[in-house]
Amino acid sequence: MYYYHPKFWIFNAFCAEAKLIGNLVSMSTRERIKAIQKMPETMKKKREIRNSLSEYFHQLQLWHKTLKIIGGKFGTGVLSYFVFLKWLLTFNIFSFLINFSFIAIPQFVAAEPNNLSFTGLELITGAGYFQETILYYGFYTNATISKTENGASYNMQLAYIFTVGIYFVICLFSLVFSMTKSFRRNFINPQAYSGNASKLLCTWDFNITNEKAVKLKQKNLSTQIKEALFEVNQEVLNFSLKERVVHIVIHLASWVASLGTAVVACAGVYFLSINNLELFMKERKNDLESQAAMLVLPIVASLLNAFIPFFYSWLGLLEKFQNPRHQIYVTITRNIILKISIVGILCYYWLNIVAASESQCWETLVGQDIYRLVLVDFIFCLLGCFFGEFVRRIIGTTVYVSLGVPEFDIARNVLDLIYAQTLTWIGIFFSPLLPGIQMISFSVVFYVKKVSLMMNCQPPRKVWRAAQMTTFFIFLLFFPSLVGVLSVIAVTVWRLKPSKECGPFRGLSSMYAAISEWIETLKNYPGSEWVVWIYQNLFQSELFFFILSTLLLIITYLYWQIIEGRKTMVKLLRKQIINVSLTFSFLLLKFGFFVDCLISCCAVVICFSYDSVGERHLTEIKMTSLRDFPI
């Protein structure tokens, strides 16, 4: 007789459950539900299997538990920033993998050894040793890479331009899809009209059995109900004519001050950039000392982006908006005007002044500028967490207690992310591995911001629902960020002349000429006529793009009309539900009134008696209430 230790049985049960979970994960959602229903197990066991599956899928999601904790404690407004940060991180991971696979790895085959010495200062300046690496445009070859004479070849020119172009097309469609999906979920979803009763009565997930998960769900649900109640209970203040005029004057003065500050900041960045370029070209040096002097421009730009938003936040407090969402929207608009204006001035400086300079490789010079801007912006972001939140908490709790603990500034932090991502998108063409640097930067920022939020910030004093802000963030990332970046890349590829001594497009009249030469080469190969026909009749035809734009506008208009129709239908159905409920309440009221009348009315009671013969005689007639009448 064999004896098995209880641990052996526990191990076997654990392995069997893990195998079962693995089999269920590989199925589709419908097949998984049917498989669980057909199991010869108790309802409790099936619920445990569902919980295990839910925990498994949650573990696959990046930072799922952290986001749950942040949303439960600080609300959806602060949560939207971290969700947006996570979303941008996936963009940079995807971009880095594509560029590294199709651009960087083939360059290793044809790369020459780097004879420059590494001193460590290159990590800050981006110059020196890094200049002769795959980090920058100028290091890439314009030759066709082939390991053997008769083997397969790799055209670096086409790989470079097609990789960057396809990535931006994917980003464009991804942003449009995400924006429409978020718009449908937050603006036209019928659940938005279901009221707060469903949130209170139908939101709880009874599959949750873990104690920590239950407490977290309770906290999250409590925060959501507070957000909904804040909007319902919000008072609409009626101002007098004099007070309205004062408010309008304050708003106009605030906008004039914010726009004037943005103009002054852009002018300072422009003149500083020109002076730095003149100093660099005058010395004719490419060593680390001259490149270190170029750090003045990114430091000044980061200082402007760091301190002017505090001025904008003060203007928002001065304007005294009734709704916190309106204040954040106005502050974000002012910040986006400032940051996009600074980026626009820098792009003008790069494409019109640096590209026309006598630099041997102006593309690498632009890549180094963007590298320094990204790095310095990351450093200022970390310093902002320390001085803007940690020191502010110390001052508010020890020196000036009336200030209190600071709140998380959603507008300023979101605009910092959009500014950093815009620089990364511009720098992809001049520094293909820049998304890898931004990927590390966003990962560090997430953890630093999370720790700073938990230690230094308090939940918002006014709890308000900010689900629609995610749509607004994505829209800002699409326009003006991505649209502006695509304009810059289009000008670089179609109009600017590449450097003669560096990069994959050296010696060409424009970077787009590489595609034209490739099409001319395809004409000599049989079986490639269809590619030539598509290029000549579609991509070089203005009529094709006109028809494509018209179809896009028609589809957009039809989709918008469908949305408006659905919104109208939802409102009509909601009114119909309200009318039916009112009718039902009215009928119940009438029925109750009828019953009360029936009960309270009088009844006639006739009493008879029978004699010995059996004849009936009337003895008494009286009036009585039905309440006293025996039934």
Side-chain angles (χ1 to χ4, degrees):
M1 182 176 181
Y2 296 98
Y3 172 76
Y4 295 98
H5 196 272
K7 293 183 178 180
F8 179 78
W9 294 105
I10 296 174
F11 178 75
N12 284 344
F14 176 78
C15 291
E17 184 175 356
K19 185 178 180 180
L20 176 62
I21 296 299
N23 294 332
L24 292 174
V25 166
S26 60
M27 300 179 183
S28 62
T29 305
R30 182 176 299 178
E31 293 176 349
R32 192 182 306 122
I33 294 174
K34 291 182 179 179
I36 295 176
Q37 291 176 350
K38 293 180 180 179
M39 288 181 181
E41 301 288 346
T42 61
M43 292 299 297
K44 182 178 180 181
K45 183 64 177 179
K46 292 181 179 180
R47 189 179 295 113
E48 292 177 357
I49 294 174
R50 292 192 186 97
N51 292 338
S52 301
L53 280 172
S54 179
E55 292 177 1
Y56 177 81
F57 286 115
H58 287 165
Q59 288 176 358
L60 296 179
Q61 299 180 9
L62 184 63
W63 299 324
H64 176 79
K65 185 177 180 181
T66 303
L67 295 176
K68 282 279 188 181
I69 295 174
I70 293 174
K73 186 175 182 180
F74 295 92
T76 56
V78 178
L79 177 64
S80 61
Y81 165 80
F82 288 91
V83 173
F84 188 64
L85 175 57
K86 174 186 172 182
W87 194 66
L88 290 181
L89 180 62
T90 57
F91 263 108
N92 288 280
I93 293 175
F94 176 69
S95 175
F96 174 75
L97 293 177
I98 288 182
N99 292 348
F100 187 77
S101 301
F102 295 100
I103 299 178
I105 292 180
Q107 180 61 31
F108 280 121
V109 179
E112 297 180 358
N114 192 344
N115 297 322
L116 298 177
S117 59
F118 181 77
T119 61
L121 189 59
E122 294 90 345
L123 296 174
I124 300 177
T125 63
Y129 180 83
F130 286 161
Q131 189 170 349
E132 297 297 329
T133 61
I134 58 174
L135 182 61
Y136 294 118
Y137 164 93
F139 181 73
Y140 291 88
T141 181
N142 63 337
T144 301
I145 301 174
S146 178
K147 297 189 68 175
T148 59
E149 294 183 0
N150 298 325
S153 59
Y154 194 85
N155 193 324
M156 182 56 71
Q157 291 181 344
L158 298 179
Y160 202 99
I161 195 169
F162 279 137
T163 301
V164 176
I166 291 174
Y167 167 72
F168 277 114
V169 170
I170 294 174
C171 286
L172 178 64
F173 283 104
S174 177
L175 274 176
V176 171
F177 176 76
S178 301
M179 191 163 50
T180 55
K181 183 179 178 181
S182 180
F183 180 82
R184 182 175 66 251
R185 182 175 62 250
N186 296 320
F187 287 89
I188 63 173
N189 192 354
Q191 294 179 357
Y193 299 94
S194 60
N196 300 321
S198 61
K199 186 181 293 295
L200 181 63
L201 301 175
C202 308
T203 306
W204 186 258
D205 186 4
F206 289 94
N207 291 328
I208 300 177
T209 56
N210 185 271
E211 185 178 354
K212 292 184 179 180
V214 168
K215 291 183 179 179
L216 183 60
K217 183 68 175 179
Q218 289 175 346
K219 203 169 188 179
N220 201 345
L221 182 59
S222 173
T223 305
Q224 292 179 16
I225 294 175
K226 288 179 182 178
E227 293 170 352
L229 290 177
F230 174 78
E231 294 186 357
V232 173
N233 298 328
Q234 187 176 0
E235 298 181 0
V236 179
L237 301 179
N238 295 321
F239 297 103
S240 62
L241 179 61
K242 181 180 179 181
E243 291 175 338
R244 291 179 182 177
V245 172
V246 171
H247 277 283
I248 293 174
V249 171
I250 292 175
H251 289 317
L252 291 177
S254 300
W255 275 105
V256 170
S258 61
L259 294 177
T261 306
V263 170
V264 173
C266 292
V269 170
Y270 177 72
F271 288 110
L272 180 62
S273 60
I274 291 179
N275 292 332
N276 278 353
L277 181 63
E278 291 178 354
L279 178 64
F280 177 74
M281 297 303 298
K282 183 178 179 181
E283 294 182 358
R284 293 284 183 174
K285 293 181 180 180
N286 200 25
D287 54 2
L288 292 176
E289 287 77 10
S290 60
Q291 290 291 335
M294 301 290 283
L295 284 172
V296 177
L297 175 61
I299 290 176
V300 171
S302 297
L303 284 173
L304 294 174
N305 285 321
F307 287 102
I308 292 181
F310 287 106
F311 174 66
Y312 289 165
S313 299
W314 178 77
L315 289 178
L317 295 176
L318 188 66
E319 292 174 289
K320 296 180 180 179
F321 290 94
Q322 295 185 33
N323 196 328
R325 187 189 296 130
H326 295 164
Q327 179 180 346
I328 286 187
Y329 283 160
V330 171
T331 307
I332 285 179
T333 304
R334 291 169 180 168
N335 279 278
I336 200 69
I337 292 174
L338 170 68
K339 294 180 182 295
I340 294 299
S341 299
I342 292 177
V343 173
I345 290 296
L346 290 174
C347 290
Y348 176 82
Y349 158 70
W350 291 326
L351 301 183
N352 291 273
I353 299 177
V354 177
S357 64
E358 299 178 359
S359 176
Q360 293 181 353
C361 190
W362 65 268
E363 295 91 347
T364 298
L365 189 61
V366 172
Q368 291 173 356
D369 278 343
I370 298 176
Y371 174 89
R372 287 188 285 265
L373 284 168
V374 170
L375 183 64
V376 174
D377 180 73
F378 169 66
I379 295 173
F380 270 77
C381 182
L382 299 182
L383 293 177
C385 292
F386 179 76
F387 290 102
E389 295 173 357
F390 176 71
V391 177
R392 166 70 172 78
R393 179 180 66 85
I394 298 298
I395 295 175
T397 54
T398 56
V399 182
Y400 297 101
V401 184
S402 59
L403 293 177
V405 180
E407 295 184 11
F408 190 80
D409 194 340
I410 302 173
R412 179 173 56 85
N413 285 280
V414 168
L415 266 297
D416 289 341
L417 294 180
I418 295 178
Y419 172 75
Q421 186 61 38
T422 304
L423 290 177
T424 304
W425 276 339
I426 297 174
I428 283 177
F429 200 86
F430 306 102
S431 179
L433 299 186
L434 191 62
I437 300 173
Q438 195 64 274
M439 179 179 63
I440 300 173
S441 171
F442 281 161
S443 300
V444 175
V445 166
F446 184 92
Y447 287 104
V448 171
K449 287 290 184 181
K450 184 199 73 171
V451 173
S452 179
L453 177 70
M454 296 297 180
M455 295 180 58
N456 305 320
C457 299
Q458 64 175 343
R461 295 183 181 91
K462 293 182 179 181
V463 184
W464 52 282
R465 184 168 49 194
Q468 297 176 352
M469 288 188 63
T470 304
T471 308
F472 186 61
F473 296 159
I474 299 175
F475 176 77
L476 289 178
L477 191 65
F478 173 75
F479 181 83
S481 179
L482 182 61
V483 174
V485 169
L486 292 178
S487 303
V488 172
I489 298 298
V491 171
T492 304
V493 172
W494 268 275
R495 299 189 61 180
L496 297 184
K497 185 177 182 180
S499 300
K500 297 180 180 180
E501 300 179 3
C502 70
F505 304 102
R506 67 188 76 176
L508 299 177
S509 59
S510 66
M511 298 179 185
Y512 185 75
I515 299 179
S516 302
E517 292 182 359
W518 175 60
I519 294 297
E520 292 296 328
T521 306
L522 288 179
K523 292 180 179 179
N524 301 325
Y525 291 92
S528 302
E529 293 82 3
W530 62 277
V531 179
V532 178
W533 185 89
I534 291 176
Y535 175 78
Q536 293 178 348
N537 294 278
L538 296 183
F539 290 100
Q540 287 189 331
S541 174
E542 294 83 0
L543 180 62
F544 169 74
F545 287 102
F546 174 75
I547 296 175
L548 186 64
S549 302
T550 305
L551 289 176
L552 182 62
L553 291 176
I554 292 174
I555 293 173
T556 305
Y557 175 76
L558 292 176
Y559 185 71
W560 177 261
Q561 290 299 318
I562 292 173
I563 290 174
E564 292 296 324
R566 289 179 177 176
K567 289 173 67 175
T568 305
M569 182 60 66
V570 168
K571 291 180 181 178
L572 291 176
L573 292 175
R574 188 187 179 199
K575 289 182 180 179
Q576 187 175 355
I577 292 173
I578 293 174
N579 292 332
V580 170
S581 62
L582 291 175
T583 304
F584 187 70
S585 300
F586 176 77
L587 292 176
L588 287 177
L589 183 63
K590 288 296 184 182
F591 180 74
F593 178 75
F594 173 74
V595 171
D596 289 339
C597 292
L598 186 63
I599 293 175
S600 60
C601 69
C602 296
V604 179
V605 180
I606 302 175
C607 299
F608 295 94
S609 62
Y610 294 89
D611 55 14
S612 59
V613 182
E615 293 182 357
R616 185 176 63 179
H617 301 279
L618 179 64
T619 59
E620 183 182 5
I621 299 176
K622 64 179 180 178
M623 306 294 293
T624 182
S625 174
L626 284 178
R627 291 190 178 94
D628 301 327
F629 189 75
I631 299 176

